[in-house]
Amino acid sequence: GAGVSQTPSNKVTEKGKYVELRCDPISGHTALYWYRQSLGQGPEFLIYFQGTGAADDSGLPNDRFFAVRPEGSVSTLKIQRTERGDSAVYLCASSPNRDQYNEQFFGPGTRLTVL
Amino acid sequence: DAKTTQPNSMESNEEEPVHLPCNHSTISGTDYIHWYRQLPSQGPEYVIHGLTSNVNNRMASLAIAEDRKSSTLILHRATLRDAAVYYCILRAVYSGAGSYQLTFGKGTKLSVIP
């Protein structure tokens, strides 16, 4: 079946611009996660959704970052006034529910480059 | 959160077994040990997890020390496709905030030599 998909695969933008990154989770998965991965580092947690609500947004670095999941399926990560330090690969993952035993299924990521 | 320690890198010859170690000396009694791997230019993928007993699946085996302060991921016959960064992650079994996401370290970069 279809896995987690993310669009675009690459995004180049200029400092100060607004960007949106999209995640399509596996159908029926209620839990959705966003992570950010800088070069040479492991992924770093940003935000977790259970259904439509953000159950934990403690990983968002500041108020320029925001994410939504209005219908409990597709999620969009929004970054305002982008900075060069936001350049990274943004990963989305989903799992059937929030059970800690469940594996998370990751998408291929969106590589964001801020010039 | 309990942390894990892994070697930065390891090498293996193709078709040889590989033992990837992980130390987690501050593990709590209800922490599960999970392993994920990340192939180049891909998102991480689940490999295996366990609590106390050794576990086997089609991808790998997980050997857990009796005191649970360390574990070893075993790839029985390394192939070139197994070249990846392997992450050892502890997941707490409680429902509080912070318990659902994965906390990645830097992992072990495995190189497989043909």
Side-chain angles (χ1 to χ4, degrees), chain B residues 27-52:
Chain B
I27 191 171
S28 73
T30 54
D31 284 341
Y32 275 75
I33 302 160
H34 287 243
W35 284 80
Y36 280 72
R37 73 179 185 180
Q38 188 171 22
L39 279 64
S41 302
Q42 295 188 26
E45 65 174 344
Y46 167 83
V47 177
I48 200 166
H49 78 275
L51 183 63
T52 55

mmCIF file of all heavy atoms in Angstrom, chain B residues 27-52:
data_model
loop_
_atom_site.group_PDB
_atom_site.id
_atom_site.type_symbol
_atom_site.label_atom_id
_atom_site.label_comp_id
_atom_site.label_asym_id
_atom_site.label_seq_id
_atom_site.Cartn_x
_atom_site.Cartn_y
_atom_site.Cartn_z
ATOM 1 N N ILE B 27 18.378 3.155 31.770
ATOM 2 C CA ILE B 27 17.070 2.695 31.304
ATOM 3 C C ILE B 27 16.157 2.404 32.495
ATOM 4 O O ILE B 27 16.608 1.911 33.534
ATOM 5 C CB ILE B 27 17.233 1.455 30.412
ATOM 6 C CG1 ILE B 27 15.930 1.104 29.702
ATOM 7 C CG2 ILE B 27 17.778 0.272 31.213
ATOM 8 C CD1 ILE B 27 16.093 0.018 28.630
ATOM 9 N N SER B 28 14.879 2.738 32.356
ATOM 10 C CA SER B 28 13.938 2.423 33.427
ATOM 11 C C SER B 28 13.225 1.111 33.097
ATOM 12 O O SER B 28 13.270 0.626 31.975
ATOM 13 C CB SER B 28 12.916 3.542 33.585
ATOM 14 O OG SER B 28 12.000 3.520 32.510
ATOM 15 N N GLY B 29 12.558 0.569 34.091
ATOM 16 C CA GLY B 29 11.959 -0.742 33.935
ATOM 17 C C GLY B 29 10.887 -0.843 32.871
ATOM 18 O O GLY B 29 10.620 -1.925 32.366
ATOM 19 N N THR B 30 10.299 0.290 32.516
ATOM 20 C CA THR B 30 9.213 0.256 31.533
ATOM 21 C C THR B 30 9.621 0.843 30.185
ATOM 22 O O THR B 30 8.777 1.090 29.337
ATOM 23 C CB THR B 30 7.996 1.020 32.064
ATOM 24 O OG1 THR B 30 8.411 2.335 32.436
ATOM 25 C CG2 THR B 30 7.399 0.307 33.261
ATOM 26 N N ASP B 31 10.902 1.092 29.981
ATOM 27 C CA ASP B 31 11.371 1.591 28.682
ATOM 28 C C ASP B 31 11.522 0.441 27.694
ATOM 29 O O ASP B 31 12.195 -0.555 27.985
ATOM 30 C CB ASP B 31 12.731 2.281 28.822
ATOM 31 C CG ASP B 31 12.650 3.660 29.421
ATOM 32 O OD1 ASP B 31 11.547 4.243 29.414
ATOM 33 O OD2 ASP B 31 13.692 4.158 29.889
ATOM 34 N N TYR B 32 10.917 0.615 26.528
ATOM 35 C CA TYR B 32 11.154 -0.309 25.427
ATOM 36 C C TYR B 32 12.395 0.153 24.649
ATOM 37 O O TYR B 32 12.665 1.347 24.554
ATOM 38 C CB TYR B 32 9.961 -0.342 24.475
ATOM 39 C CG TYR B 32 8.877 -1.295 24.909
ATOM 40 C CD1 TYR B 32 8.032 -0.984 25.961
ATOM 41 C CD2 TYR B 32 8.697 -2.509 24.260
ATOM 42 C CE1 TYR B 32 7.043 -1.858 26.366
ATOM 43 C CE2 TYR B 32 7.700 -3.399 24.651
ATOM 44 C CZ TYR B 32 6.887 -3.069 25.714
ATOM 45 O OH TYR B 32 5.913 -3.936 26.111
ATOM 46 N N ILE B 33 13.115 -0.809 24.084
ATOM 47 C CA ILE B 33 14.291 -0.523 23.258
ATOM 48 C C ILE B 33 13.878 -0.689 21.803
ATOM 49 O O ILE B 33 13.453 -1.778 21.389
ATOM 50 C CB ILE B 33 15.438 -1.485 23.592
ATOM 51 C CG1 ILE B 33 15.807 -1.384 25.077
ATOM 52 C CG2 ILE B 33 16.659 -1.184 22.704
ATOM 53 C CD1 ILE B 33 16.563 -2.590 25.589
ATOM 54 N N HIS B 34 13.965 0.394 21.068
ATOM 55 C CA HIS B 34 13.596 0.380 19.647
ATOM 56 C C HIS B 34 14.837 0.644 18.805
ATOM 57 O O HIS B 34 15.713 1.419 19.201
ATOM 58 C CB HIS B 34 12.560 1.467 19.344
ATOM 59 C CG HIS B 34 11.193 1.166 19.861
ATOM 60 N ND1 HIS B 34 10.103 0.999 19.036
ATOM 61 C CD2 HIS B 34 10.732 1.019 21.123
ATOM 62 C CE1 HIS B 34 9.024 0.752 19.764
ATOM 63 N NE2 HIS B 34 9.382 0.757 21.030
ATOM 64 N N TRP B 35 14.863 0.056 17.623
ATOM 65 C CA TRP B 35 15.906 0.349 16.641
ATOM 66 C C TRP B 35 15.254 0.788 15.333
ATOM 67 O O TRP B 35 14.297 0.157 14.850
ATOM 68 C CB TRP B 35 16.779 -0.880 16.384
ATOM 69 C CG TRP B 35 17.757 -1.172 17.476
ATOM 70 C CD1 TRP B 35 17.509 -1.808 18.665
ATOM 71 C CD2 TRP B 35 19.156 -0.844 17.488
ATOM 72 N NE1 TRP B 35 18.666 -1.896 19.411
ATOM 73 C CE2 TRP B 35 19.689 -1.319 18.709
ATOM 74 C CE3 TRP B 35 20.012 -0.213 16.589
ATOM 75 C CZ2 TRP B 35 21.032 -1.177 19.049
ATOM 76 C CZ3 TRP B 35 21.349 -0.070 16.922
ATOM 77 C CH2 TRP B 35 21.850 -0.547 18.143
ATOM 78 N N TYR B 36 15.773 1.868 14.805
ATOM 79 C CA TYR B 36 15.397 2.346 13.486
ATOM 80 C C TYR B 36 16.679 2.473 12.672
ATOM 81 O O TYR B 36 17.782 2.591 13.226
ATOM 82 C CB TYR B 36 14.717 3.719 13.568
ATOM 83 C CG TYR B 36 13.264 3.672 13.953
ATOM 84 C CD1 TYR B 36 12.879 3.360 15.261
ATOM 85 C CD2 TYR B 36 12.267 3.930 13.016
ATOM 86 C CE1 TYR B 36 11.528 3.309 15.615
ATOM 87 C CE2 TYR B 36 10.918 3.883 13.365
ATOM 88 C CZ TYR B 36 10.567 3.569 14.667
ATOM 89 O OH TYR B 36 9.241 3.509 15.010
ATOM 90 N N ARG B 37 16.539 2.480 11.351
ATOM 91 C CA ARG B 37 17.684 2.742 10.509
ATOM 92 C C ARG B 37 17.287 3.737 9.427
ATOM 93 O O ARG B 37 16.111 3.842 9.082
ATOM 94 C CB ARG B 37 18.238 1.467 9.899
ATOM 95 C CG ARG B 37 17.393 0.857 8.798
ATOM 96 C CD ARG B 37 18.056 -0.379 8.243
ATOM 97 N NE ARG B 37 17.344 -0.938 7.097
ATOM 98 C CZ ARG B 37 17.729 -2.024 6.448
ATOM 99 N NH1 ARG B 37 18.821 -2.674 6.820
ATOM 100 N NH2 ARG B 37 17.035 -2.459 5.412
ATOM 101 N N GLN B 38 18.259 4.448 8.927
ATOM 102 C CA GLN B 38 18.011 5.447 7.896
ATOM 103 C C GLN B 38 19.003 5.241 6.753
ATOM 104 O O GLN B 38 20.202 5.477 6.919
ATOM 105 C CB GLN B 38 18.139 6.860 8.475
ATOM 106 C CG GLN B 38 17.715 7.951 7.515
ATOM 107 C CD GLN B 38 17.644 9.314 8.184
ATOM 108 O OE1 GLN B 38 18.274 9.557 9.213
ATOM 109 N NE2 GLN B 38 16.883 10.226 7.598
ATOM 110 N N LEU B 39 18.455 4.793 5.637
ATOM 111 C CA LEU B 39 19.266 4.639 4.441
ATOM 112 C C LEU B 39 19.524 6.013 3.836
ATOM 113 O O LEU B 39 18.772 6.968 4.100
ATOM 114 C CB LEU B 39 18.549 3.729 3.432
ATOM 115 C CG LEU B 39 18.674 2.219 3.660
ATOM 116 C CD1 LEU B 39 18.025 1.776 4.955
ATOM 117 C CD2 LEU B 39 18.121 1.441 2.487
ATOM 118 N N PRO B 40 20.567 6.158 3.045
ATOM 119 C CA PRO B 40 20.885 7.473 2.466
ATOM 120 C C PRO B 40 19.711 8.079 1.721
ATOM 121 O O PRO B 40 19.026 7.413 0.942
ATOM 122 C CB PRO B 40 22.046 7.143 1.509
ATOM 123 C CG PRO B 40 22.682 5.926 2.084
ATOM 124 C CD PRO B 40 21.564 5.126 2.666
ATOM 125 N N SER B 41 19.453 9.333 2.004
ATOM 126 C CA SER B 41 18.403 10.124 1.340
ATOM 127 C C SER B 41 16.994 9.575 1.555
ATOM 128 O O SER B 41 16.102 9.819 0.736
ATOM 129 C CB SER B 41 18.683 10.227 -0.173
ATOM 130 O OG SER B 41 19.936 10.819 -0.391
ATOM 131 N N GLN B 42 16.785 8.834 2.616
ATOM 132 C CA GLN B 42 15.455 8.328 2.938
ATOM 133 C C GLN B 42 15.094 8.683 4.377
ATOM 134 O O GLN B 42 15.953 9.062 5.175
ATOM 135 C CB GLN B 42 15.398 6.812 2.753
ATOM 136 C CG GLN B 42 15.597 6.357 1.313
ATOM 137 C CD GLN B 42 15.334 4.874 1.161
ATOM 138 O OE1 GLN B 42 14.584 4.282 1.936
ATOM 139 N NE2 GLN B 42 15.942 4.264 0.158
ATOM 140 N N GLY B 43 13.809 8.545 4.692
ATOM 141 C CA GLY B 43 13.401 8.693 6.076
ATOM 142 C C GLY B 43 13.749 7.449 6.865
ATOM 143 O O GLY B 43 13.996 6.386 6.299
ATOM 144 N N PRO B 44 13.803 7.555 8.189
ATOM 145 C CA PRO B 44 14.092 6.373 9.008
ATOM 146 C C PRO B 44 13.045 5.287 8.804
ATOM 147 O O PRO B 44 11.901 5.568 8.432
ATOM 148 C CB PRO B 44 14.041 6.917 10.444
ATOM 149 C CG PRO B 44 14.302 8.382 10.309
ATOM 150 C CD PRO B 44 13.669 8.768 9.010
ATOM 151 N N GLU B 45 13.444 4.038 9.044
ATOM 152 C CA GLU B 45 12.502 2.931 9.004
ATOM 153 C C GLU B 45 12.700 2.061 10.240
ATOM 154 O O GLU B 45 13.823 1.888 10.734
ATOM 155 C CB GLU B 45 12.636 2.094 7.731
ATOM 156 C CG GLU B 45 13.950 1.360 7.590
ATOM 157 C CD GLU B 45 13.980 0.420 6.385
ATOM 158 O OE1 GLU B 45 12.913 0.097 5.820
ATOM 159 O OE2 GLU B 45 15.094 0.016 6.010
ATOM 160 N N TYR B 46 11.603 1.533 10.723
ATOM 161 C CA TYR B 46 11.610 0.683 11.902
ATOM 162 C C TYR B 46 12.353 -0.618 11.611
ATOM 163 O O TYR B 46 12.240 -1.191 10.525
ATOM 164 C CB TYR B 46 10.164 0.381 12.303
ATOM 165 C CG TYR B 46 9.979 -0.720 13.311
ATOM 166 C CD1 TYR B 46 10.107 -0.457 14.670
ATOM 167 C CD2 TYR B 46 9.661 -2.000 12.905
ATOM 168 C CE1 TYR B 46 9.921 -1.464 15.604
ATOM 169 C CE2 TYR B 46 9.471 -3.015 13.825
ATOM 170 C CZ TYR B 46 9.602 -2.737 15.174
ATOM 171 O OH TYR B 46 9.423 -3.745 16.084
ATOM 172 N N VAL B 47 13.124 -1.081 12.599
ATOM 173 C CA VAL B 47 13.817 -2.363 12.443
ATOM 174 C C VAL B 47 13.251 -3.391 13.413
ATOM 175 O O VAL B 47 12.782 -4.450 13.013
ATOM 176 C CB VAL B 47 15.339 -2.195 12.667
ATOM 177 C CG1 VAL B 47 16.040 -3.553 12.569
ATOM 178 C CG2 VAL B 47 15.938 -1.209 11.668
ATOM 179 N N ILE B 48 13.261 -3.070 14.704
ATOM 180 C CA ILE B 48 12.876 -4.051 15.708
ATOM 181 C C ILE B 48 12.717 -3.359 17.053
ATOM 182 O O ILE B 48 13.225 -2.241 17.240
ATOM 183 C CB ILE B 48 13.950 -5.164 15.784
ATOM 184 C CG1 ILE B 48 13.430 -6.455 16.420
ATOM 185 C CG2 ILE B 48 15.209 -4.658 16.494
ATOM 186 C CD1 ILE B 48 14.359 -7.651 16.196
ATOM 187 N N HIS B 49 12.004 -3.971 17.987
ATOM 188 C CA HIS B 49 11.960 -3.450 19.346
ATOM 189 C C HIS B 49 11.766 -4.597 20.334
ATOM 190 O O HIS B 49 11.292 -5.682 19.967
ATOM 191 C CB HIS B 49 10.884 -2.376 19.525
ATOM 192 C CG HIS B 49 9.484 -2.904 19.669
ATOM 193 N ND1 HIS B 49 8.690 -3.198 18.584
ATOM 194 C CD2 HIS B 49 8.738 -3.162 20.775
ATOM 195 C CE1 HIS B 49 7.512 -3.619 19.008
ATOM 196 N NE2 HIS B 49 7.512 -3.610 20.322
ATOM 197 N N GLY B 50 12.126 -4.327 21.597
ATOM 198 C CA GLY B 50 11.964 -5.338 22.627
ATOM 199 C C GLY B 50 11.967 -4.713 24.009
ATOM 200 O O GLY B 50 12.314 -3.543 24.175
ATOM 201 N N LEU B 51 11.599 -5.508 24.998
ATOM 202 C CA LEU B 51 11.551 -5.026 26.381
ATOM 203 C C LEU B 51 12.585 -5.749 27.241
ATOM 204 O O LEU B 51 13.465 -5.128 27.815
ATOM 205 C CB LEU B 51 10.158 -5.222 26.967
ATOM 206 C CG LEU B 51 9.954 -4.701 28.389
ATOM 207 C CD1 LEU B 51 10.152 -3.188 28.447
ATOM 208 C CD2 LEU B 51 8.559 -5.072 28.906
ATOM 209 N N THR B 52 12.465 -7.063 27.335
ATOM 210 C CA THR B 52 13.412 -7.822 28.149
ATOM 211 C C THR B 52 13.993 -9.014 27.397
ATOM 212 O O THR B 52 15.182 -9.297 27.468
ATOM 213 C CB THR B 52 12.734 -8.349 29.426
ATOM 214 O OG1 THR B 52 11.581 -9.109 29.058
ATOM 215 C CG2 THR B 52 12.306 -7.210 30.338
#
